[in-house]
Each structure stands twice: as structure tokens, then as C-alpha cells.
């Protein structure tokens, strides 16, 4: 049960885009609407053409840099690494690391904890997947990495700082719907793998326990990774960040 509660914190971040109506099906439609509005703008009056001058020889254009591509992370023993995100994590034998089959089932399992049918439907529309999940045997400490495709429009205009600001808009109501209470959060930054990342520290009560989670956000191309370091022990999740290094 603690495992699923820990996963909810990552999922509430991706609901921020749903609040703005940006799901897997309608991101492209929203972009088309913006494009259409530009195309329908009245044309400017024509001005007399100036005399033509001989055109200068064209020089070949340099190829535009390709958008960063996101690679799926790899796990070997207790070592997780994702070169696209620039992070790695080394865990000892005290940790249980989820298999690829278990990762594939996590989104659906967590959806069942929400009472709202709207939230459940939204989860099925968002293009996202778990790249990594690990926990202590008793579930008191967890590390999970959720990756979401922001789509054509948001993938262009949104950065990590904007993402965390949007994520707070419906955070409290979403956590309350999943059974959390006494919810508080603080936007901050955290050192993860030698890089300073925008993040958020969240605290809430659930099933008689106090839960703390430190999140960090990494954007690669049109994708955003939500790294959630969760702690039920009372020690706090800050020490979990020390398990990460640069990839």
C-alpha cells in the first residue's frame, strides 16, 4: 500500500496539464487552433514593389540541431542510469527494484486509488510511463522516476520552473481525493547528480502516517521527468538525493 501511495505524488504532477485541457488527444488540436488564428489574421495592405535587384547566390543552410531525444534508463544490479536525464543511482541490497513488467502496470494500479472517475480517465489519456522504481522492503523509503510527453505545444514553451508552478494549481485537491490530509508544500531547488534542479518538497498525512516527498524535474526535448524521493520514516527524503550521481 505504501508503494502505491508514494506513486501518487508523481502522478499529481502530470495532472497539471489536464487542468488546462492538454491531453494526449488534444495537444495537437490546440496547436492547430493557434496556427489557424494566425492564418486568419487580416492581410496587411500591399505596398508598391521595389525594383528587383540581382539575387545573391544562395549558400547552403546549416542543418538545424535535432531535438534532444529521450532514451529509456537501464538497470544493472543495483545501478540505474539514464544518460538522457544525466543521472545515475546506486542502491545496495536493502532496496527492491521493480522489473520492466511491474513498471508497465504501475500507472493503472495507482489510478484505482483515486475516487474521482475524472482523474482516472485523465490518466489514461496522458502519454507517460515509469522509468524506474525502487523501495525499501517495508516501503518506508521510495525512489520513482515518471516521464511524461508534454506534447508539441507544451514541449516547446514549458521549462522545469513553469512546470512546477503549474503543478501546484490542483495539487491539494488531487491529494485529498487520494486520501491525503494536512497537505503542505514548498517550491525549492535540489542538487541531483551534480546539477541544481527545480523541485518541490511535499508533506502530507495518510493512513495515520506522515509522508514527505522531495521532487526534482528534468526536461529533455518535449519530455519532463519527475523524480520523487519519498520517506515515511520521519528522517526526510533529502538523504535519498545523495544516492544519485551524474551519468
Amino acid at each position: 500500500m505504501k508503494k502505491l501511495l508514494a506513486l501518487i505524488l508523481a502522478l499529481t504532477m502530470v495532472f497539471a496539464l489536464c487542468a488546462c485541457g492538454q491531453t494526449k488527444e488534444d495537444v495537437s488540436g490546440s496547436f492547430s487552433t493557434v496556427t489557424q488564428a494566425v492564418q486568419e489574421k487580416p492581410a496587411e495592405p500591399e505596398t508598391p514593389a521595389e525594383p528587383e535587384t540581382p539575387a545573391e547566390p544562395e549558400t547552403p543552410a546549416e542543418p538545424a540541431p535535432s531535438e534532444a531525444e529521450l532514451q529509456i534508463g537501464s538497470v544493472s544490479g543495483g545501478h540505474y542510469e539514464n544518460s538522457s536525464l544525466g543521472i545515475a543511482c546506486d542502491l545496495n541490497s536493502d532496496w527492491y527494484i521493480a522489473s520492466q513488467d511491474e513498471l508497465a502496470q504501475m500507472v493503472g494500479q495507482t489510478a484505482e486509488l483515486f475516487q474521482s472517475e475524472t482523474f482516472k480517465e485523465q490518466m489514461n489519456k496522458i502519454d507517460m510511463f515509469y522509468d524506474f522504481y525502487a523501495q525499501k522492503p517495508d516501503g518506508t523509503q521510495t525512489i520513482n522516476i515518471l516521464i511524461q510527453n508534454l506534447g508539441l505545444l507544451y514541449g516547446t514553451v514549458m521549462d522545469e520552473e513553469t512546470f512546477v508552478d503549474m503543478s501546484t494549481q490542483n495539487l491539494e485537491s488531487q491529494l485529498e481525493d487520494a486520501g491525503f490530509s494536512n497537505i503542505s508544500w514548498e517550491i525549492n531547488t535540489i542538487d541531483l547528480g551534480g546539477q541544481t534542479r527545480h523541485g518541490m518538497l511535499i508533506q502530507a498525512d495518510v493512513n495515520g502516517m506522515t509522508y514527505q516527498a522531495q521532487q526534482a524535474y528534468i526536461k529533455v526535448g518535449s519530455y519532463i521527468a519527475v523524480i520523487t524521493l519519498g520517506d515515511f520514516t520521519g528522517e526526510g527524503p533529502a538523504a535519498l538525493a545523495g544516492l544519485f550521481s551524474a551519468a
Side-chain angles (χ1 to χ4, degrees), residues 8-9 12-13 15 114 119 166-185 200 202-205:
I8 288 177
L9 269 296
T12 54
M13 298 299 102
F15 283 143
F114 287 93
F119 287 166
M166 288 186 63
S167 298
T168 64
Q169 294 177 8
N170 298 287
L171 177 63
E172 187 168 358
S173 63
Q174 291 157 1
L175 291 180
E176 286 176 347
D177 188 83
F180 288 82
S181 61
N182 298 324
I183 302 157
S184 62
W185 67 85
M200 184 189 307
I202 304 166
Q203 180 170 306
D205 294 338

Side-chain angles (χ1 to χ4, degrees), residues 11 14-15 18 23-25 104-112 114 116-128:
L11 290 173
V14 303
F15 283 143
C18 291
T23 61
K24 183 164 58 177
E25 281 81 6
Q105 298 173 17
M106 284 183 181
V107 172
Q109 290 174 343
T110 315
E112 296 306 313
F114 287 93
S116 169
E117 291 299 325
T118 300
F119 287 166
K120 293 178 183 179
E121 291 174 4
Q122 287 173 344
M123 288 182 62
N124 292 325
K125 295 179 180 178
I126 303 172
D127 186 3
M128 61 184 178

Side-chain angles (χ1 to χ4, degrees), residues 13 16-17 20 150 154 156-169 187 198-200 217 219 224:
M13 298 299 102
L17 298 189
C20 299
L150 297 177
Y154 276 148
T156 302
V157 302
M158 184 178 291
D159 56 17
E160 292 97 334
E161 188 172 9
T162 306
F163 183 80
V164 66
D165 286 340
M166 288 186 63
S167 298
T168 64
Q169 294 177 8
I187 295 175
H198 291 283
M200 184 189 307
Y217 312 102
K219 186 169 182 289
I224 189 96

Side-chain angles (χ1 to χ4, degrees), residues 20 23 35 39 41 44 48 51 65 77 80 98 115 119 123 125 137 158 163 177 183 188 192 195 206 232 236 238 240:
C20 299
T23 61
T35 305
Q39 292 174 340
K41 181 179 178 181
E44 298 283 341
Y80 162 81
Q115 299 176 18
F119 287 166
M123 288 182 62
K125 295 179 180 178
M158 184 178 291
F163 183 80
D177 188 83
I183 302 157
N188 61 6
L192 196 73
Q195 295 289 326
V206 59
F232 283 100
L240 298 177

